[in-house]
Amino acid sequence: MSIESTNPATGETVETYEEDSSADRDEALERAEAVFDEWREVPIEDRQEMLARAGEQLRENESTYAELMTEEMGKPIAQSHAEVEKCAWLCDYYAEHAAEHLQDDRIASESDARTLVSYEPIGTVLAIMPWNFPFWQAFRFAVPNLAAGNVGILKHASNVPGCARAIEEVFREAGCPEGAFTSLLIGSEEIDEVIADDRIEAVTLTGSSGAGRSVAETAGSELKKTVLELGGSDPFVVLDDADLELAVEKGTQARLINSGQSCIAAKRFIVVEDVYDEFLEAFVERMDEQVVGDPTDEDTDVGPQAREDLMETLDEQVQETVEQGAECHVGGEPMDREGAFYPPTVLTDIPEGSPADREELFGPAASVFRVPDEEAAIEKANDTQFGLGASVWTEDYARGERVARRFESGMAFVNELVKSDPRLPFGGVKASGYGRELAEQGIREFVNEKTIWVQHQNGEDDGLVE
């Protein structure tokens, strides 16, 4: 069978790839298992050097990779360039800090014993990754795991096969041993079988809550660890003392990044009564000003949705919410032009239980809620199945931190949009998943945290350097 890469801005076929056969899949798993024994013994300093070279490879070919992303899934080209650079930054970060994050932890116990925790690789980790940040999501998995001594199998989204192959090429050109990082072009129907394979030790997925439940069920039945980064419907809370100009500027950016197709995009704007009208007027105006168009144009703010069916799903959610009584201030239906284009959309007076209230709107549609005060804002922010990120806007920093601590989320930001950063752990709670990526916490997710006890005899030390 073949996999077609389609440009969502034009509907044209970019390229056709042959799907990997069951024999190809088996060979990749066998090769990964074999190379693990070699890769785990490579000094971590050498693994870090490989990551540094991967960062160089990304920067040297930034335009090629950026154009590929934009062509396959419609990301505005300026954001594609930024994504490649962010992946290079990730490589730089672990090239510098991986050894520090994985060094033994000495823990005091008995006076005549040396006790510590070592962090050792576990084997082959399967990553099931989405299309919306086709390079970043995959690198966020691959870089810390390769640094830790694990090997990786990537099952990327079916609409970005070219990106999947390009990512594999980056590591190969950086000197990663054959089989230490492999991209498999296979269908989703094969995932359960791969997860259950004895050669897979752990699984990480970024995707929908439904996909997360399915993967967790299969992996759990095999007693394999999982890390899940799932959907989000992040609250963007505007308090009565917020800098409204900043909140509108950042709110527009936070809602429309990646043409609205981001798990951590601000989706529910919760605004206190005292500043609601002023915020809404400015926000609607700013959303309406954004340039929707050709994603290869540097001046484009919002490109197409990644697939026609995804745009149709978003439109169904918007239309159902309006039919239930919501008001649409701008946008609200697919654009009359070639390609899967949906305009920036703002909904208010949203009925409780409607799609815009309860579901994740994965596209450039913002839900704006009016609440009487801070306490009601916090209550509304937490009134969701999701718990990925959240932000609060106020000129009182102490107040902002107090509110941030009350959010039921894996990440909380004060006067800043929710974002990922290699130096900080990333992940959610509730239906947004569990486990963490990035930073020290991320590199330690798929390792064996082994307790080692060295008993000293007759008061002698163990001869090991402290």
Side-chain angles (χ1 to χ4, degrees):
M1 292 180 63
S2 60
I3 299 174
E4 281 194 350
S5 170
T6 303
N7 187 327
T10 65
E12 298 175 353
T13 299
V14 176
E15 194 166 337
T16 300
Y17 298 81
E18 285 302 311
E19 187 170 315
D20 288 323
S21 66
S22 57
D24 294 330
R25 187 186 71 194
D26 186 70
E27 182 182 343
L29 290 172
E30 192 69 27
R31 191 166 56 241
E33 185 178 49
V35 79
F36 170 63
D37 289 334
E38 167 195 335
W39 184 241
R40 69 181 301 173
E41 297 301 328
V42 171
I44 191 168
E45 294 79 12
D46 292 348
R47 300 199 295 262
Q48 288 175 291
E49 288 179 9
M50 185 278 290
L51 294 179
R53 291 193 296 271
E56 294 170 1
Q57 174 80 2
L58 286 164
R59 291 189 174 98
E60 289 171 3
N61 298 279
E62 179 179 315
S63 293
T64 299
Y65 298 142
E67 289 165 8
L68 176 60
M69 273 190 277
T70 294
E71 197 171 39
E72 285 202 317
M73 56 73 59
K75 187 188 300 290
I77 190 65
Q79 295 180 31
S80 293
H81 278 278
E83 183 166 336
V84 177
E85 176 54 39
K86 190 170 185 178
C87 291
W89 176 28
L90 176 67
C91 291
D92 294 345
Y93 174 81
Y94 280 109
E96 181 179 354
H97 296 288
E100 170 192 345
H101 292 334
L102 294 171
Q103 66 183 349
D104 293 347
D105 284 338
R106 176 72 187 272
I107 300 174
S109 59
E110 301 296 330
S111 60
D112 58 350
R114 181 175 185 266
T115 50
L116 57 92
V117 176
S118 68
Y119 299 91
E120 303 175 4
I122 59 173
T124 305
V125 181
L126 170 67
I128 305 162
M129 291 291 118
W131 47 263
N132 56 334
F133 291 90
F135 267 62
W136 173 245
Q137 303 280 16
F139 272 83
R140 202 165 72 187
F141 145 72
V143 170
N145 275 286
L146 289 171
N150 291 321
V151 298
I153 298 287
L154 170 65
K155 190 287 177 198
H156 219 325
S158 59
N159 58 330
V160 289
C163 290
R165 288 294 190 232
I167 293 165
E168 187 177 40
E169 177 189 44
V170 170
F171 289 114
R172 183 171 61 249
E173 292 296 321
C176 193
E178 183 180 4
F181 181 85
T182 304
S183 171
L184 283 181
L185 298 186
I186 60 175
S188 298
E189 68 278 1
E190 298 181 59
I191 289 300
D192 282 353
E193 189 174 348
V194 177
I195 294 172
D197 193 290
D198 289 342
R199 292 166 291 191
I200 295 293
E201 297 295 334
V203 186
T204 181
L205 172 136
T206 297
S208 68
S209 298
R213 289 186 176 92
S214 177
V215 165
E217 182 178 4
T218 303
S221 69
E222 301 292 334
L223 299 179
K224 296 179 180 180
K225 185 175 183 180
T226 53
V227 168
L228 304 178
E229 195 269 280
L230 309 177
S233 190
D234 288 6
F236 184 103
V237 173
V238 182
L239 299 180
D240 51 8
D241 62 347
D243 179 335
L244 292 186
E245 184 177 351
L246 177 65
V248 168
E249 176 189 347
K250 289 290 190 176
T252 303
Q253 180 185 352
R255 176 59 284 206
L256 299 181
I257 189 170
N258 202 32
S259 305
Q261 301 165 117
S262 171
C263 297
I264 55 172
K267 299 188 176 87
R268 295 179 301 127
F269 292 77
I270 301 166
V271 188
V272 298
E273 177 78 40
D274 289 350
V275 295
Y276 177 87
D277 291 335
E278 185 179 354
F279 174 86
L280 179 63
E281 180 181 2
F283 183 55
V284 169
E285 181 179 353
R286 184 65 63 87
M287 290 280 279
D288 194 35
E289 291 172 349
Q290 302 307 297
V291 177
V292 182
D294 181 357
T296 65
D297 188 333
E298 291 281 354
D299 294 327
T300 292
D301 300 306
V302 180
Q305 301 301 278
R307 297 196 313 263
E308 188 82 20
D309 64 304
L310 297 169
M311 182 189 71
E312 292 171 354
T313 297
L314 174 65
D315 187 49
E316 289 171 2
Q317 292 173 303
V318 170
Q319 297 306 323
E320 184 177 342
T321 301
V322 171
E323 288 170 6
Q324 292 185 28
E327 180 179 355
C328 182
H329 293 258
V330 65
E333 60 183 10
M335 299 180 73
D336 185 17
R337 58 176 295 171
E338 183 180 46
F341 288 90
Y342 204 88
T345 297
V346 178
L347 303 174
T348 62
D349 301 321
I350 297 161
E352 186 175 348
S354 65
D357 180 48
R358 291 298 176 191
E359 299 173 10
E360 178 180 24
L361 302 189
F362 209 67
S367 305
V368 186
F369 299 87
R370 184 198 303 260
V371 293
D373 53 29
E374 175 189 309
E375 192 63 31
I378 296 170
E379 182 178 353
K380 183 63 180 176
N382 291 334
D383 185 22
T384 173
Q385 63 174 318
F386 299 107
L388 190 54
S391 66
V392 58
W393 300 79
T394 171
E395 292 194 321
D396 184 335
Y397 302 144
R399 182 188 192 191
E401 184 171 339
R402 184 179 70 248
V403 171
R405 289 179 180 277
R406 294 185 63 189
F407 287 141
E408 295 170 359
S409 62
M411 299 167 287
F413 288 68
V414 180
N415 296 332
E416 180 59 283
L417 55 84
V418 179
K419 56 187 177 181
S420 55
D421 184 312
R423 300 165 294 188
L424 298 170
F426 181 95
V429 296
K430 301 198 289 189
S432 291
Y434 52 75
R436 293 295 179 264
E437 298 174 298
L438 304 177
E440 179 181 297
Q441 290 82 356
I443 200 172
R444 289 184 174 186
E445 280 287 1
F446 292 125
V447 295
N448 176 16
E449 299 185 3
K450 180 188 290 184
T451 295
I452 296 178
W453 180 303
V454 180
Q455 184 67 45
H456 299 181
Q457 299 298 322
N458 301 318
E460 299 175 357
D461 65 33
D462 53 15
L464 298 176
V465 177
E466 295 295 337

